[in-house]
Amino acid sequence: MKLRVGKRPEKQIERMEAWWVANRPKAPTLFTDELEATFRVLRERRNAGVGWPTTRRPDLRRILMPRTENHVYFVVNEKTQTVHVLSVWGGPRGTTPRL
């Protein structure tokens, strides 16, 4: 499957990477490494993550990055064989992103 990352999640990723490097000196690349591994899983496994439907997006899914406790929110377009990443969101925030 192809993977597409929108502009909003790209900015979220940039901020999270910068924060992780600045605040986690013992594991500055952990976020990036875990995100890359998660993206590989999304490309390879059709049923990755769990359903997280909303009224607006009934096919929304999310997958947890367990070491950094972030979630990747995404939808799969079977017709185009594409995973669309809509948000990368910090689980510890206790809220979910607006999707």
Side-chain angles (χ1 to χ4, degrees), residues 5-40:
V5 180
K7 289 181 182 181
R8 181 184 299 181
E10 280 182 0
K11 291 179 183 180
Q12 292 168 334
I13 291 166
E14 288 172 10
R15 284 193 305 269
M16 291 173 142
E17 284 175 334
W19 183 91
W20 205 268
V21 168
N23 294 284
R24 300 289 189 221
K26 291 184 180 180
T29 64
L30 179 61
F31 173 79
T32 303
D33 295 343
E34 192 170 34
L35 183 64
E36 288 174 2
T38 301
F39 283 173
R40 270 193 304 279

Side-chain angles (χ1 to χ4, degrees), residues 40-81:
R40 270 193 304 279
V41 168
L42 293 178
R43 282 189 208 99
E44 295 169 2
R45 290 185 28 215
R46 283 186 165 12
N47 295 325
V50 297
W52 200 260
T54 65
T55 304
R56 190 169 158 218
R57 297 185 189 276
D59 56 346
L60 182 67
R61 300 183 68 77
R62 79 176 187 179
I63 189 169
L64 175 65
M65 297 168 38
R67 295 185 68 202
T68 60
E69 298 182 346
N70 291 289
H71 289 99
V72 176
Y73 290 83
F74 63 97
V75 293
V76 177
N77 184 323
E78 291 291 342
K79 187 176 182 179
T80 63
Q81 295 293 295

